[in-house]
Amino acid sequence: MNTIQELKDRRDTLTLEMESIQRDLMPLEEALESPEIIQQGRQRAVQDEINDHKRRIDSRDHEIYLLNQKIDRLEALANRESLAAGYLSGIANWKADEMELNEKRSSIETRLQQVRQSDQEDMAKARQAETDAATAYAQAVAWGDVEGEKAANAEAQKAAKNLTAAAEHHRRQQLIITALEQELVTIDLHITEAQKERAKIENKAAHLANTVLEEQWNEAAKALLETGGKLWAARRLISQDPVSLLKLQIPEQGENFGSWTFRELAERSHQHSLLDLLAA
């Protein structure tokens, strides 16, 4: 297996080659439209050269893409413990942030409800007091109660002042309510951001887990193939056809898309002697 550095060196080499071919391609593309090439009837030949350059570029670009996948995979496997620890720490931090934000949101929402309720009650009381004073005044006038009329008039004036004060208080409370509502919007944005960031890390962690488990699958499959090769060899020594093993097909995980079949067992079986089989 190639080391990570060997793969990176190969990628660097391909990148330099691709850049060189791209530089060579530019004058060819310019020459294709030149009068001289057209007069000489060499457009087809130049176009063929251009196509050849593009094929070589595409070939190297594709190989670089595959190398990047392999490098990323090997680096993830090599650093899986530190990566996993970092992901777990990141997830925990964002969860803690989200929890703290939710606590703040709950506190602000409770306070907002209290302010709204108190404001509504204060305004309702002030309006009701003014209405009651007006009713008392009207009743005093109707019954010719001079003293009652004076008292009701005083209460009406007092209620009017209280309503004015309540209206001013209501205005200030509305400013507070608006500010609290805006704070809720801001906190909700932060909560959404925390959830998105946590989801990103969880996605990376899931990809790491997938890569590690794929590698474990491949290692387990290779161990099974090793045992299967010995079993195949033993069957051959006793002149017994390994019919049941002919159905073997184990898909390889990762960047490769092949499968291990009974042919792997047959090839491996030739590596084992009777002593190997007895020592198994």
Side-chain angles (χ1 to χ4, degrees):
M1 178 184 292
N2 293 326
T3 65
I4 294 175
Q5 189 56 51
E6 287 173 339
L7 294 173
K8 288 183 176 180
D9 291 343
R10 174 60 180 165
R11 181 182 62 185
D12 292 342
T13 299
L14 289 170
T15 300
L16 291 174
E17 290 178 359
M18 188 169 68
E19 291 173 351
S20 176
I21 297 170
Q22 287 172 333
R23 286 193 297 269
D24 293 340
L25 176 62
M26 292 177 63
L28 289 173
E29 291 178 328
E30 293 172 357
L32 184 63
E33 302 299 329
S34 69
E36 182 181 354
I37 295 297
I38 295 174
Q39 289 175 0
Q40 294 174 356
R42 294 182 53 228
Q43 284 180 296
R44 179 60 182 271
V46 173
Q47 184 63 60
D48 287 343
E49 285 191 66
I50 290 174
N51 292 340
D52 179 65
H53 278 63
K54 288 183 176 180
R55 280 192 295 270
R56 290 160 62 195
I57 290 171
D58 290 343
S59 174
R60 283 158 178 77
D61 186 54
H62 181 65
E63 189 173 349
I64 290 171
Y65 170 77
L66 295 177
L67 284 171
N68 282 332
Q69 283 191 319
K70 186 170 290 188
I71 290 169
D72 290 345
R73 180 181 181 83
L74 291 176
E75 286 184 334
L77 291 170
N79 303 315
R80 59 187 178 187
E81 291 185 2
S82 60
L83 286 173
Y87 292 150
L88 290 174
S89 176
I91 291 170
N93 288 338
W94 283 112
K95 277 187 176 180
D97 286 350
E98 185 180 348
M99 184 178 297
E100 182 180 352
L101 288 167
N102 278 319
E103 289 175 355
K104 288 182 179 179
R105 191 189 194 289
S106 178
S107 176
I108 291 174
E109 194 168 28
T110 299
R111 180 59 179 159
L112 178 60
Q113 291 174 352
Q114 291 173 345
V115 172
R116 281 174 175 163
Q117 183 176 353
S118 175
D119 181 54
Q120 291 171 356
E121 290 176 352
D122 290 346
M123 283 299 297
K125 287 178 182 178
R127 290 193 180 100
Q128 187 61 48
E130 188 178 45
T131 300
D132 292 344
T135 301
Y137 180 82
Q139 290 175 346
V141 171
W143 289 96
D145 184 356
V146 177
E147 293 300 323
E149 183 179 341
K150 290 180 180 179
N153 185 54
E155 285 297 321
Q157 291 179 1
K158 180 181 177 182
K161 290 180 181 179
N162 289 340
L163 182 59
T164 300
E168 176 59 22
H169 181 68
H170 171 71
R171 185 188 67 80
R172 292 195 300 270
Q173 292 298 88
Q174 286 301 307
L175 293 176
I176 293 174
I177 289 171
T178 300
L180 290 173
E181 289 174 339
Q182 185 56 49
E183 188 63 22
L184 283 178
V185 171
T186 301
I187 289 177
D188 284 341
L189 290 175
H190 289 320
I191 290 174
T192 300
E193 180 186 5
Q195 291 172 339
K196 287 181 178 179
E197 291 300 321
R198 176 164 57 87
K200 288 179 184 177
I201 298 175
E202 288 175 342
N203 182 261
K204 291 180 180 178
H207 276 83
L208 175 63
N210 179 72
T211 298
V212 171
L213 290 169
E214 283 181 341
E215 189 64 17
Q216 291 177 351
W217 169 282
N218 290 340
E219 292 300 322
K222 290 174 183 177
L224 181 62
L225 291 172
E226 185 65 22
T227 301
K230 293 178 181 179
L231 178 58
W232 191 289
R235 294 279 177 87
R236 188 177 63 250
L237 289 175
I238 61 176
S239 301
Q240 182 176 341
D241 291 334
V243 178
S244 61
L245 299 177
L246 296 177
K247 298 179 181 179
L248 178 72
Q249 186 169 6
I250 306 174
E252 184 177 359
Q253 303 300 310
E255 68 272 8
N256 298 323
F257 297 98
S259 293
W260 290 294
T261 67
F262 70 91
R263 293 182 178 83
E264 298 285 338
L265 305 184
E267 291 176 5
R268 290 169 183 262
S269 69
H270 296 292
Q271 302 172 7
H272 303 295
S273 65
L274 179 58
L275 292 178
D276 294 333
L277 302 180
L278 291 174

